[in-house]
Amino acid sequence: ESIRDGDNLLYLKKFEEAIKIFNFILEIDKKNYVALKKKAIALGNLNNFVEANDCFSKAIEIIYSCINEDSKLEKDKSK
């Protein structure tokens, strides 16, 4: 099961099935911000806005932490 499989289900408006795929991906990789974002889209389409917002927030936190880590690495290289 892959992000592409979940995307296909989103396109077909099979939101519950898409969420199952994104959850499976997140069990393997909890920091997969793409799966979190796509899960949020599916949840939003099911009018589950609170959980969708939580997923979007987690995805943003992951992206932000990656940016911070990259910045720290760049600073360390310049020393």
Side-chain angles (χ1 to χ4, degrees):
E1 297 179 343
S2 68
I3 296 287
R4 181 172 287 185
D5 295 329
D7 277 343
N8 289 337
L9 291 168
L10 284 177
Y11 178 78
L12 296 171
K13 299 186 181 196
K14 295 183 177 184
F15 304 118
E16 293 92 352
E17 292 177 47
I19 291 168
K20 288 178 185 176
I21 288 180
F22 299 130
N23 282 339
F24 176 78
I25 293 166
L26 290 164
E27 285 177 19
I28 296 166
D29 179 9
K30 292 184 186 339
K31 292 187 177 186
N32 189 319
Y33 63 88
V34 175
L36 278 166
K37 179 186 76 161
K38 303 276 185 172
K39 179 180 175 180
I41 292 168
L43 289 164
N45 277 287
L46 293 171
N47 297 322
N48 190 341
F49 302 116
V50 172
E51 194 173 349
N53 186 58
D54 290 343
C55 288
F56 275 128
S57 294
K58 287 178 191 171
I60 291 167
E61 287 175 22
I62 292 166
I63 293 167
Y64 186 72
S65 69
C66 290
I67 292 169
N68 281 341
E69 287 177 23
D70 288 346
S71 295
K72 288 177 186 175
L73 289 174
E74 288 300 315
K75 285 180 184 176
D76 290 342
K77 286 181 184 177
S78 65
K79 287 183 180 180

